[in-house]
Amino acid sequence: MDERERGRIAPWAPPRARRRLAELEAALAGLDADGVVETVGEALSGHLRRLDEEGVVLYAGTNTMSARARAAHEVALASRPSMGWPGEKFQTGLEELDVLEVLAPLQVAALMGGGFAEVRLQSATLANLACYAAFTRPGDTIAVLPEAAGGHASHHAQGAAGIRGLNVVDLPYDAVRLDVDHGALPAFLRGHRPVLVVVGASLMLFPHDVARIRAACDEVGALLVYDASHVAGLIAGGRFQRPLDEGAHVLTMSTYKSFGGPPGAAVVTRDEERARRISEAAYPGLTANYDASRLAPLAVTAAELAAGGPAYADRCIAAAAALAEALAGEGLPVVAADRGWTASHHVAVDAAAFGGPAEAARRLAAGGVFLSGIGLPGQAPGEPMRALRIGTQEVVRRSLGPQDMGEIAVLVRRLLVDGEDPERVLPAARALRRRA
Ligand SMILES: *Cc1c(COP(=O)(O)O)cnc(C)c1O
């Protein structure tokens, strides 16, 4: 590579990233304070325009907050430190924040079917790390979903589980039924004796049989953690599945994906002793001060989800079913056709015929449709990620419904199957977004 393309941000990054970084570093070199302020302003407005105003966002791990939740997101709170319990804090003058620190976890715990919710952690990665800190010791074994089945980096050795020094083994997985291989599970657990089992994934087309997995966990005394990062919004509506009712000991979740709240995470459980250990892992373990500005929009989001009942979850699921059917009708290889494609807000498309998911996602983005790649359950070991993942939660929040999914499928077909020039497709994507 040309020396001029070696930047200072991450000269170790892969070539495509290095080129982009070098281009940006060259353009941004030597700005004075006014220049930085102006550049920041342009970046912010451009970002909002591209994704919020002109793009059709089908990325599964995002959302847009409701108007009331946005109005409750007061950024000034983020720099007001708060450590310890209301009534006994390290800092004084936080009586109003006390209210939010009680309201938000109560709302989240009740909505998710738990008794206790820890809501201070800034991300689901940290929520999972808090579970490892609370319930494992370095050197212990945990069993998680394989990466090709959507097992998240934070479940695996390269992520939070590795940081805790855990030995990570892949659960046996049935790529046809898209769940843990229940026949093989009991012997597998007896062989590996994990202290903790994590299910729940970054692609969740169908529910897990949590009760059956829990029964196998009980035989070896393993704790069952359900990572609901993607499906928390459906669970909140009483749809898809209710992991804590079905036997999961602990539920971790992102608050900003299908849940539709501020960035961050929650850990929910019914057991007081487990809740205490998770809480201590969160503070003083993994946080000191934390971003308290998240609490108000989190409480509002949870309250709105509770008040709305299953309506939002049902719309997300109906839109995904409609989109899967429409995409299949346009000739795209939608995953799990034999099972009706999906029972969640996710849809997966095999992208092998379109140059793989990274290339396909770039084409779609150039045409105003934003999403990402994901592993395809059952893909060959070592094969690069092979599927495109779609989530309907954001377009549903922006008031598109099943009746609009045909139009989205046409955009995808024009970009991927017909290979049309993305510039020519972009106006149609913008028009669809503006109508929503
Ligand atoms: C997105 C995701 C996470 C991580 O969430 P962050 O908030 O980005 O840390 C964890 N688990 C699963 C299954 C996810 O999909």
Side-chain angles (χ1 to χ4, degrees):
M1 167 165 292
D2 187 327
E3 260 312 299
R4 281 167 306 174
E5 289 180 1
R6 292 188 67 81
R8 280 168 297 165
I9 301 277
W12 54 86
R16 184 186 280 271
R18 279 215 304 276
R19 275 194 295 278
R20 175 68 177 147
L21 288 166
E23 170 191 305
L24 288 169
E25 285 186 38
L28 299 173
L31 290 176
D32 61 8
D34 288 345
V36 167
V37 170
E38 190 186 332
T39 303
V40 163
E42 282 167 7
L44 287 175
S45 62
H47 177 72
L48 294 176
R49 195 166 55 243
R50 186 187 296 265
L51 291 185
D52 286 13
E53 291 168 24
E54 300 194 334
V56 178
V57 177
L58 298 176
Y59 181 69
T62 186
N63 215 323
T64 180
M65 283 199 277
S66 76
R68 288 195 294 183
R70 268 201 311 278
H73 204 181
E74 172 48 64
V75 74
L77 263 69
S79 53
R80 291 295 185 203
S82 167
M83 295 192 295
W85 298 118
E88 223 189 54
K89 281 196 184 136
F90 185 71
Q91 301 89 348
T92 51
L94 298 179
E95 284 73 11
E96 287 74 23
L97 188 58
D98 289 350
V99 174
L100 303 178
E101 287 184 344
V102 171
L103 189 59
L106 284 179
Q107 295 283 318
V108 171
L111 187 61
M112 304 308 288
F116 304 89
E118 170 54 60
V119 298
R120 289 171 290 188
L121 295 161
Q122 311 282 147
S123 73
T125 292
L126 289 176
N128 288 335
L129 183 55
C131 289
Y132 308 148
F135 306 119
T136 71
R137 307 174 76 82
D140 280 350
T141 294
I142 67 168
V144 308
L145 293 170
E147 281 179 84
H152 189 258
S154 61
H155 307 162
H156 281 272
Q158 81 270 27
I163 286 180
R164 181 61 174 161
L166 298 172
N167 172 42
V168 181
V169 291
D170 279 358
L171 288 161
Y173 192 78
D174 181 338
V176 175
R177 289 184 43 265
L178 300 175
D179 197 357
V180 171
D181 180 343
H182 296 288
L185 184 63
F188 174 87
L189 294 181
R190 281 195 299 273
H192 289 279
R193 308 223 56 104
V195 299
L196 196 146
V197 169
V198 185
V199 295
S202 300
L203 175 66
M204 293 218 66
L205 298 173
F206 301 98
H208 289 300
D209 188 340
V210 171
R212 225 170 144 187
I213 297 167
R214 166 66 188 271
C217 286
D218 282 348
E219 274 185 50
V220 296
L223 192 85
L224 180 58
V225 173
Y226 185 108
D227 183 339
S229 284
H230 273 275
V231 289
L234 307 182
I235 293 168
R239 294 297 194 249
F240 193 65
Q241 65 182 150
R242 294 285 287 176
L244 293 175
D245 291 343
E246 293 162 31
H249 294 107
V250 177
L251 179 146
T252 60
M253 56 182 266
S254 301
T255 51
Y256 62 95
K257 297 182 181 175
S258 68
F259 199 79
V267 188
V268 187
T269 182
R270 292 178 172 174
D271 179 272
E272 181 179 326
E273 172 58 16
R274 290 194 187 104
R276 183 181 69 76
R277 286 163 73 169
I278 293 161
S279 165
E280 287 172 4
Y283 173 81
L286 295 169
T287 64
N289 303 298
Y290 68 100
D291 178 3
S293 76
R294 294 170 24 244
L295 298 177
L298 180 58
V300 170
T301 302
E304 287 182 341
L305 285 169
Y312 162 67
D314 284 342
R315 277 177 68 83
C316 289
I317 294 167
L323 183 54
E325 185 174 4
L327 287 167
E330 298 292 339
L332 284 120
V334 183
V335 173
D338 54 326
R339 295 190 59 194
W341 300 299
T342 181
S344 75
H345 63 307
H346 283 175
V347 175
V349 173
D350 188 338
F354 311 117
E359 181 54 34
R362 276 194 289 274
R363 277 195 71 76
L364 288 164
V369 177
F370 300 99
L371 43 58
S372 74
I374 189 90
L376 181 67
Q379 69 176 49
E383 186 185 359
M385 272 195 321
R386 154 153 184 181
L388 284 172
R389 180 188 62 183
I390 294 168
T392 55
Q393 73 292 341
E394 176 160 338
V395 291
V396 163
R397 269 274 169 103
R398 293 192 187 281
S399 78
L400 294 186
Q403 70 285 355
D404 302 301
M405 295 301 117
E407 248 178 279
I408 294 184
V410 168
L411 296 177
V412 175
R413 188 255 296 150
R414 289 173 64 188
L415 288 160
L416 294 187
V417 181
D418 304 347
E420 214 176 310
D421 179 358
E423 283 294 320
R424 292 191 42 211
V425 181
L426 195 54
R430 284 184 179 149
L432 178 64
R433 169 66 194 92
R434 294 231 168 100
R435 222 178 54 224

